[in-house]
Amino acid sequence: MRFVTTYEFKPFLTKEETEQVLAIFAVVGNAPGVTDHLVFTDGSGGVVFGESDDIPALYANVLA
């Protein structure tokens, strides 16, 4: 199954809160099967493309 996930950083978060979110992502890492991770040029978010049949792992990654 192919998937596309978009995300954005909330503009009301402080710099410290944004750093906490990124620290969690560093621990969790990418979802299984990620092929591309594109970041918006303004740094407000990004798009992740991938292909995987491991639905529980994809769901756990999105929740994190």
Side-chain angles (χ1 to χ4, degrees), residues 17 21 25-30 32 36 39 41 44 46 50-51 53-55 63-64:
E17 290 170 328
V21 170
F25 177 74
V27 171
V28 173
N30 279 324
D36 295 299
V39 178
T41 56
S44 65
E51 187 168 352
D53 291 327
D54 190 355
I55 302 303
L63 287 179

Side-chain angles (χ1 to χ4, degrees), residues 4-5 7 18-21 27 30-33 37 40 43 46 48 50 53 57-58 63:
V4 177
T5 304
Y7 65 91
T18 302
E19 288 174 357
Q20 288 176 334
V21 170
V27 171
N30 279 324
H37 183 171
F40 300 148
V48 178
D53 291 327
L58 291 172
L63 287 179

